[in-house]
Amino acid sequence: MNIRTIGIIGFLGWALLACNGTNIQRIVGPSNPYEQYRNFLQSTEFENSAMVRDWIAAEKEAISKPITINLPYQEITQFEKSRPQAVYFEFDTQEGQLITAEINPVSQPDAKFFLDLYEIENSERKHLKFAKDTNRIEKRVKNSGRMGLRIQPELFRGGIVEVRILQNPSLAFPVEGKNHRSIASFFGDPRDGGRRKHEGVDVFAPRGTPVVSVSPGRVSRVGVNNLGGKTVSVSHDVYSYYYAHLDTQLVRMGQAVKTGDTLGTVGNTGNAITTPPHLHFGIYRRGAVDPYPFFETASMQASHTVSDSTYLGRIARVNVGTANIRQFPNTNAAISGKLSQNEVLLLEGKHNDWFRVRLPDGSQGYVFENLITHNLSPVQKLRETQGLMVSEDYNERNFFEASTIVESDLEVIGKFKDAKLLRTELGKLYWTF
């Protein structure tokens, strides 16, 4: 490392510690925290330094290679403080879900991370929300589709981090003492011999059980009809919430209500007269909407511990004949690639019994932990280095003769496709093809 590089790191380290969000904003004007920080880096005399360029490039590389996950999702990962890194997850969402994304810095609690949430439509990303002065984002899904979450620490920050991306209910449940597991009839179920479809969900409960408002709003209708019997409708934001088959109606037209206020009681009025008492609940927004995602709570396993991060940032190798690389951390997930025995991979994150990995060619996926070993004892020794051409990087392949840098034996500790991974006596790694 030369004197100028040391000076760059020293200046940036001081500047980034000294500048809070308010000061950066004075320099570059209002924008989200990530843009403030990026603009600040580009406004210094070191905007063309390799470290700043690498930090900006890390975000672009992460977004170009999204990691596809299913919700709920959690993993423990590690951001190396000496190497700019970013991670970008994409996942499917349904209208009504409350998406919660949060990180818990474990080893460096004062580290600043940038969290940005995107909506993906026709391969285009629309920025939805950013975390400001917190490591948490919440966003209610208005249109079913796909979202993305980018996570990136400041320069020279990072460490061990737990990531959690969850889908939570965005509405209170409409029947007192019940939850989404109490739903007995679902949206889209056939009705009248298949002549129509169910435009809501049914929740069975004893007659007289309180029916409560799922959100704040205003009562837009209190009425009676042949299909729904005694009904109440409450409007809020872009939605109309419809409560039917009530035994009693306890609100009046135009009344303002809060979440949890009692609107009526469970009954079996209307066309439900021959069925046990239950609430029919519907949601309308330019037509009927499936209420289930508005209420669903998905269980999450216990948080990861620091011990789960032991091997993160390290190379491992396959210890079985064939190891499948999966698109998701699940044995039922599609296979995105296969590795043979002794092929190597980099461990970047851990989700339960699965490692999120990056292969030497940059491709990513998940591998079950029992298929790899962390023991990198040599599989072969190369005693003759004269004429052997090596490269520090698998992809760039800037070759030079091994004898110019080592005099001792080289150990082969793994391979990838047509290349061997070599290790010197001091632990330095090189590729030979």
Side-chain angles (χ1 to χ4, degrees):
M1 184 178 292
N2 59 37
I3 298 299
R4 176 172 173 78
T5 302
I6 294 173
I8 290 172
I9 294 175
F11 172 81
L12 287 175
W14 169 83
L16 303 179
L17 286 173
C19 287
N20 58 31
T22 303
N23 292 336
I24 294 175
Q25 189 166 334
R26 289 198 193 104
I27 297 173
V28 301
S31 58
N32 75 45
Y34 177 86
E35 291 174 346
Q36 292 173 9
Y37 186 78
R38 182 189 60 201
N39 292 346
F40 165 71
L41 292 179
Q42 293 177 319
S43 71
T44 71
E45 64 173 295
F46 302 115
E47 63 177 299
N48 293 318
S49 71
M51 189 66 76
V52 170
R53 291 200 310 270
D54 288 349
W55 189 87
I56 294 170
E59 181 262 352
K60 294 179 180 178
E61 181 183 6
I63 285 183
S64 71
K65 299 176 180 177
I67 300 162
T68 301
I69 59 173
N70 291 323
L71 301 187
Y73 181 82
Q74 63 176 353
E75 76 164 40
I76 194 159
T77 187
Q78 181 172 341
F79 292 89
E80 295 182 28
K81 289 179 276 188
S82 61
R83 178 169 66 92
Q85 289 176 266
V87 64
Y88 176 68
F89 298 100
E90 285 192 357
F91 43 91
D92 292 327
T93 60
Q94 291 181 278
E95 181 176 0
Q97 290 176 331
L98 181 66
I99 301 300
T100 302
E102 58 185 354
I103 63 168
N104 173 32
V106 177
S107 63
Q108 195 176 5
D110 62 340
K112 169 69 176 177
F113 286 82
F114 303 102
L115 278 71
D116 288 84
L117 193 64
Y118 297 87
E119 181 179 62
I120 294 96
E121 186 175 356
N122 298 325
S123 300
E124 296 292 326
R125 289 183 308 277
K126 174 187 176 184
H127 191 274
L128 289 178
K129 196 170 186 179
F130 56 80
K132 185 176 183 180
D133 303 323
T134 182
N135 288 325
R136 179 186 177 95
I137 294 178
E138 280 194 348
K139 182 67 177 178
R140 181 173 175 175
V141 180
K142 288 191 174 180
N143 299 293
S144 297
R146 197 164 180 83
M147 284 188 176
L149 175 73
R150 185 192 65 216
I151 305 172
Q152 186 170 9
E154 290 179 323
L155 272 172
F156 315 117
R157 294 290 185 268
I160 301 167
V161 176
E162 185 182 32
V163 179
R164 294 165 65 89
I165 310 173
L166 314 174
Q167 83 261 26
N168 293 308
S170 61
L171 297 177
F173 202 72
V175 179
E176 189 174 273
K178 303 288 185 178
N179 58 37
H180 75 282
R181 294 183 182 87
S182 304
I183 294 174
S185 181
F186 296 87
F187 184 84
D189 286 349
R191 289 291 187 269
D192 294 340
R195 290 190 296 274
R196 64 182 180 91
K197 292 185 177 180
H198 197 210
E199 291 190 349
V201 294
D202 291 341
V203 182
F204 289 84
R207 186 183 306 277
T209 301
V211 171
V212 300
S213 183
V214 297
S215 76
R218 190 168 296 278
V219 177
S220 56
R221 183 176 177 83
V222 178
V224 179
N225 62 65
N226 292 333
L227 196 63
K230 295 179 181 180
T231 67
V232 170
S233 295
V234 175
S235 295
H236 177 66
D237 194 13
V238 296
Y239 294 104
S240 176
Y241 304 115
Y242 177 69
Y243 307 77
H245 306 318
L246 302 177
D247 190 57
T248 59
Q249 299 151 300
L250 302 177
V251 290
R252 66 184 185 279
M253 181 83 166
Q255 179 179 335
V257 295
K258 302 187 297 294
T259 302
D261 282 355
T262 301
L263 306 176
T265 58
V266 171
N268 62 342
T269 56
N271 72 346
I273 193 67
T274 60
T275 66
H278 67 276
L279 171 72
H280 168 89
F281 177 80
I283 300 178
Y284 292 87
R285 176 199 177 197
R286 300 192 304 270
V289 176
D290 185 1
Y292 190 83
F294 290 74
F295 301 128
E296 182 184 16
T297 301
S299 60
M300 175 62 73
Q301 295 187 12
S303 298
H304 291 92
T305 63
V306 175
S307 63
D308 291 317
S309 67
T310 301
Y311 298 105
L312 298 183
R314 300 187 189 180
I315 291 173
R317 73 183 181 210
V318 175
N319 65 347
V320 294
T322 302
N324 292 325
I325 305 299
R326 303 275 181 177
Q327 290 185 359
F328 308 112
N330 190 297
T331 53
N332 295 322
I335 297 173
S336 57
K338 291 179 180 288
L339 297 179
S340 60
Q341 190 161 23
N342 292 332
E343 287 201 280
V344 296
L345 32 72
L346 178 66
L347 309 179
E348 294 198 325
K350 193 162 193 289
H351 171 80
N352 299 333
D353 298 328
W354 295 79
F355 280 105
R356 177 168 58 80
V357 303
R358 184 182 297 272
L359 306 185
D361 62 3
S363 57
Q364 301 174 87
Y366 292 86
V367 62
F368 192 65
E369 64 178 348
N370 287 351
L371 303 180
I372 62 174
T373 180
H374 309 290
N375 177 11
L376 298 181
S377 57
V379 296
Q380 182 187 353
K381 287 196 175 183
L382 299 180
R383 303 189 184 280
E384 178 57 56
T385 60
Q386 193 70 34
L388 179 67
M389 304 301 291
V390 297
S391 173
E392 290 185 300
D393 189 278
Y394 176 88
N395 294 302
E396 292 184 4
R397 305 192 184 189
N398 298 315
F399 293 105
F400 50 90
E401 191 167 330
S403 60
T404 63
I405 55 167
V406 294
E407 297 180 357
S408 59
D409 296 345
L410 286 170
E411 299 175 335
V412 179
I413 61 169
K415 63 180 182 177
F416 184 73
K417 295 181 179 178
D418 57 344
K420 293 180 179 180
L421 182 60
L422 311 178
R423 182 174 62 197
T424 69
E425 191 175 53
L426 297 177
K428 182 71 176 176
L429 301 179
Y430 297 96
W431 289 96
T432 185
F433 296 81

